[in-house]
Amino acid sequence: MPEHVLLKPKGSRVLLLGNEAIARGALEAGICVAAAYPGTPSTEILEVLSEVADSCGIYVEWSVNEKVAFETAYAAAITGVRSLTAMKHVGLNVASDILMSSAYSGVEEGFVVVSADDPSMHSSQNEQDNRWYGLIAHLPVIEPSNAREAYKLVKEAFELSTRYKVPVILRSTTRISHTRMPVELEGDVFFERKCKGVFKQDPERWILVPGHARKCKVRLMDAWRKIITNEGREPFIKIINPGQKKVIVASGLAYSYVREVLELLGALDKVTVLKVNMPVPLPREPVMEVLKYAEEVLVVEELDPIVEMQFKDIALSIGTSIRIRGKETIPENYELSLERIYKPVAEFLGVKAGNIEDAAGTVKIELQIPPRPPILCAGCPHRNTYYVIKVAANKAGLRNIVYTGDIGCYTLGYQKPFETQSTCFEMGGSIGIAHGLAKTIDNPIIAVIGDSTFFHAGMPPALNAVYNDSNIIILVLDNMTTAMTGHQPHPGTGKSATGKVAVRIMPEKVLESLGYEVYVVNPLKVRESIDAVTKAFWRYKQGVKIALVSRMACSLEVLRKARRSGVVLPVYAVLEDKCNGCMACVKLTACPALIVEPGAKKPRILGELCTGCGLCASLCPFKAIVIKNAPSENWERLWWEP
């Protein structure tokens, strides 16, 4: 078996994804515990750590949510064991309670919190700038400018955490986490490491009652001031080409853009650049040094004016009145790019600049790819479930249903023809929002939530809805994996992060224990499922608290297992002589395996995309869709085995 890229020896030159670089740096730094909840763009950090966990002798887990992941890793750090937790930016909102308290109590060994932000919202509901958390919690934030620097800085972050005994936030972004760069490995991964800690009783530190917390706050602020004073040096901040009258301050990834723009403008020697890798707290001495000569300053950073605000504050404190520009010229929304900062930087330098395409060289793209909206995959079980729900609701006479939605692949159900998501705010929000709506509207309400999301944050609102007597229906879409982030395990899969057998916790058992009458259906069996859900809806109309669990494996996992096991799945085809071109299969499923070619009056099924779910065949009124091959005898089991 080839050696894992994370285990290459010192001196190797390897091509690493930004998240892999962070993982490798953490291993070299000596972590023994890593915990996370999957979320793009942070997922790969724990994924690759789980792949080498046994070889390295470290403990790795997918926790049920980011708060629990934070607590798990933080507990190791307070016993003197280095640890890491990773999450996407909105995940830190979930973990923010313990984040704030951990700042007060501190750590005994290095503890790094990786926050992977998502400017431009490539896969998120917002693009919040998590450097704010550093200011709120009084914790340092480290921000690399590229994937290679992420590898180096995660090690520095652990040293910083150990030095001041506080958690350190490492802020990555989608561009850094998902960019590959060659990395020269500076150290080795130690396979024998001290992973047992000692918990030292210290009530004044670990028990945050008000009297103790007041003392902890003083210690925290003392560390904060020392970091501002002592850490104004490389690798956290660097003055490049000092002594110039024009100064550009560039933080994190923005530095990479600024450097390239300056090269294009031929202006590298005309400006002082303050390269910032620790935007919070901004070290004071280097700022004062560049201000000695500066007549004008431009701050370039992605999203919010975190560095700009602190820079102006330092300038004001020493009575400097020079012009300091930032978000008045640099975009505050979405990702930065060369194109977006080229003209603002040129104008700041007083350089005449044309189009960046001319400066960088024109790149011609011959083939234009038509824009397409995201859709559910061919064979996606959510498509079957949504069809079942709509038909059953019609049969049971449920009208004007409000579907509260959640975070997952199934959010795509907001589109036609299903329209089974009326809201979508945050992980686990579907049930809580449904509960609140039930107190103010009379419509039937169905809270739609995925299996992983149910375990993440769906159980407390499900309990609350029973306790506070809400008349809602909970629909758990159980595809037996965390599909949207790449098929990570969760408590309902019976597998751990490292592939070991774990206790399997069934959503229906949890819901039954909370007081719901639960109906478990397999939407591969369309007609049976419609009958069961229709019965459930009638019970709902009688005032019974109803929960539905729709269990059918993710089609991507089914295809993967079929290839590995040699199982042949059915492939469907349209019989032209029976099809009358009603297009019910196309209009009611929106399946990408069903196409209508230009000028054609009947649909065709793409055999290479068909997964054999059979939804189109089950709803065809003319029985014109049939299996065209000879599937394996037990192919159906792949759709409900985790």
Side-chain angles (χ1 to χ4, degrees):
M1 180 178 293
E3 186 179 27
H4 196 287
V5 68
L6 248 59
L7 302 182
K8 295 286 186 182
K10 177 182 177 181
S12 301
R13 182 177 169 87
V14 292
L15 187 64
L16 293 180
L17 195 69
N19 282 341
E20 293 173 339
I22 292 170
R24 169 69 190 217
L27 285 173
E28 287 185 25
I31 63 161
C32 280
V33 173
Y37 180 81
T40 305
S42 69
T43 306
E44 296 85 1
I45 298 171
L46 201 90
E47 273 192 337
V48 291
L49 287 174
S50 70
E51 291 166 6
V52 301
D54 290 343
S55 300
C56 298
I58 65 173
Y59 176 73
V60 175
E61 75 168 39
W62 285 119
S63 306
V64 295
N65 63 35
E66 294 84 355
K67 176 177 178 289
V68 176
F70 192 114
E71 292 162 346
T72 301
Y74 176 63
I78 69 174
T79 68
V81 174
R82 284 197 170 184
S83 59
L84 174 143
T85 185
M87 56 202 72
K88 68 180 296 172
H89 60 295
V90 290
L92 196 53
N93 299 341
V94 179
S96 59
D97 201 352
I98 178 66
L99 170 75
M100 304 305 289
S101 295
S102 72
Y104 276 48
S105 291
V107 296
E108 283 294 286
E109 249 302 349
F111 175 48
V112 171
V113 181
V114 180
S115 170
D117 294 5
D118 189 19
S120 287
M121 299 160 276
H122 296 286
S123 59
S124 307
Q125 62 269 47
N126 70 20
E127 61 169 6
Q128 69 190 42
D129 188 333
N130 273 6
R131 295 177 301 171
W132 286 112
Y133 273 115
L135 291 172
I136 297 170
H138 294 101
L139 292 176
V141 178
I142 305 301
E143 186 177 30
S145 64
N146 56 44
R148 188 181 301 125
E149 207 168 64
Y151 158 73
K152 295 173 182 285
L153 284 177
V154 71
K155 293 185 287 186
E156 295 291 342
F158 274 105
E159 294 303 320
L160 188 68
S161 174
T162 301
R163 198 152 55 242
Y164 294 96
K165 293 190 178 299
V166 294
V168 172
I169 299 171
L170 181 87
R171 187 223 190 192
S172 180
T173 61
T174 305
R175 282 302 153 194
I176 292 173
S177 288
H178 288 171
T179 298
R180 289 189 184 277
M181 288 188 78
V183 176
E184 300 277 356
L185 299 179
E186 300 170 332
D188 277 318
V189 174
F190 298 101
F191 295 97
E192 292 184 7
R193 54 185 75 209
K194 176 179 170 291
C195 290
K196 284 293 179 186
V198 176
F199 180 73
K200 298 175 183 174
Q201 297 288 348
D202 188 352
E204 288 198 349
R205 187 174 177 193
W206 307 127
I207 303 174
L208 291 179
V209 295
H212 299 166
R214 292 183 191 112
K215 295 176 182 175
C216 289
K217 175 67 185 301
V218 173
R219 285 198 295 268
L220 171 63
M221 296 310 296
D222 182 56
W224 177 257
R225 283 188 288 272
K226 287 178 178 175
I227 292 170
I228 294 173
T229 302
N230 300 335
E231 301 301 334
R233 58 181 177 80
E234 294 186 53
F236 303 125
I237 193 164
K238 180 181 180 182
I239 301 173
I240 301 170
N241 193 30
Q244 303 298 312
K245 294 178 180 177
K246 287 188 179 286
V247 174
I248 295 180
V249 182
S251 183
L253 178 61
Y255 169 75
S256 297
Y257 296 132
V258 166
R259 181 170 179 83
E260 195 162 344
V261 166
L262 292 176
E263 288 176 354
L264 291 173
L265 294 172
L268 281 171
D269 60 345
K270 296 181 176 60
V271 61
T272 292
V273 176
L274 185 63
K275 179 176 183 287
V276 178
N277 290 117
M278 187 166 71
V280 176
L282 187 65
R284 186 178 178 86
E285 287 300 323
V287 173
M288 294 176 65
E289 181 62 25
V290 298
L291 285 173
K292 286 181 183 175
Y293 310 97
E295 293 182 354
E296 197 171 7
V297 176
L298 175 67
V299 182
V300 185
E301 58 189 321
E302 209 161 53
L303 297 186
D304 297 342
I306 306 290
V307 171
E308 179 187 343
M309 182 181 64
Q310 296 175 85
F311 193 97
K312 286 179 174 175
D313 184 55
I314 295 171
L316 185 65
S317 72
I318 60 174
T320 300
S321 58
I322 62 171
R323 187 178 184 190
I324 301 171
R325 285 186 275 181
K327 289 303 170 186
E328 63 186 273
T329 56
I330 302 299
E332 62 185 355
N333 299 319
Y334 317 140
E335 285 186 308
L336 293 183
S337 65
L338 289 181
E339 293 80 1
R340 300 189 79 199
I341 70 165
Y342 183 67
K343 287 193 174 179
V345 170
E347 288 172 6
F348 170 73
L349 296 175
V351 176
K352 285 188 177 180
N355 293 324
I356 189 172
E357 291 80 5
D358 297 332
T362 303
V363 177
K364 290 184 178 179
I365 301 175
E366 302 292 344
L367 180 64
Q368 295 296 322
I369 301 174
R372 295 179 300 175
I375 58 173
L376 296 171
C377 301
C380 176
H382 305 328
R383 178 179 289 104
N384 292 42
T385 302
Y386 288 151
Y387 175 77
V388 166
I389 292 294
K390 300 282 278 194
V391 174
N394 191 45
K395 284 192 168 190
L398 292 184
R399 302 285 185 265
N400 301 317
I401 298 172
V402 175
Y403 296 91
T404 55
D406 226 299
I407 308 288
C409 305
Y410 48 91
T411 310
L412 296 174
Y414 80 90
Q415 299 178 112
K416 292 181 181 300
F418 307 112
E419 299 177 301
T420 48
Q421 303 273 290
S422 309
T423 65
C424 178
F425 300 114
E426 94 286 18
M427 292 285 286
S430 59
I431 301 174
I433 294 294
H435 165 67
L437 289 176
K439 301 303 179 187
T440 58
I441 64 176
D442 294 326
N443 308 56
I445 303 169
I446 299 179
V448 184
I449 189 168
D451 46 351
S452 184
T453 312
F454 176 73
F455 291 117
H456 177 284
M459 292 189 290
L463 169 63
N464 185 66
V466 172
Y467 172 61
N468 286 300
D469 194 26
S470 268
N471 189 29
I472 64 172
I473 298 168
I474 295 175
L475 168 61
V476 179
L477 301 173
D478 186 359
N479 59 4
M480 295 177 276
T481 187
T482 312
M484 191 170 70
T485 51
H487 303 102
Q488 293 77 26
H490 60 63
T493 64
K495 295 176 184 174
S496 73
T498 53
K500 295 182 174 64
V501 175
V503 173
R504 188 179 181 195
I505 300 164
M506 309 304 284
E508 58 266 33
K509 296 298 182 186
V510 175
L511 289 162
E512 285 170 0
S513 71
L514 296 180
Y516 291 90
E517 185 171 299
V518 183
Y519 293 76
V520 181
V521 298
N522 173 7
L524 189 70
K525 307 288 188 184
V526 176
R527 297 186 189 284
E528 293 175 17
S529 297
I530 290 173
D531 291 342
V533 174
T534 302
K535 179 183 175 183
F537 285 165
W538 279 112
R539 293 284 289 161
Y540 163 76
K541 293 176 74 171
Q542 294 166 6
V544 178
K545 299 193 183 308
I546 295 297
L548 304 166
V549 177
S550 183
R551 180 166 296 126
M552 178 177 162
C554 172
S555 58
L556 298 182
E557 284 283 85
V558 170
L559 291 171
R560 190 176 298 137
K561 287 190 289 186
R563 281 195 297 270
R564 289 173 178 168
S565 61
V567 171
V568 178
L569 297 171
V571 175
Y572 284 82
V574 178
L575 298 176
E576 285 215 19
D577 57 336
K578 283 193 172 183
C579 176
N580 79 340
C582 72
M583 301 292 177
C585 55
V586 176
K587 295 176 181 175
L588 296 178
T589 70
C591 177
L594 274 160
I595 63 167
V596 183
E597 296 185 273
K601 295 183 178 178
K602 296 179 181 179
R604 183 167 73 84
I605 294 176
L606 297 174
E608 60 271 29
L609 289 185
C610 179
T611 64
C613 75
L615 177 62
C616 56
S618 69
L619 60 81
C620 176
F622 303 100
K623 308 298 181 190
I625 300 178
V626 298
I627 296 174
K628 71 173 185 179
N629 65 340
S632 300
E633 185 177 355
N634 297 320
W635 65 271
E636 287 188 3
R637 66 181 172 79
L638 297 183
W639 288 96
W640 48 75
E641 286 183 353

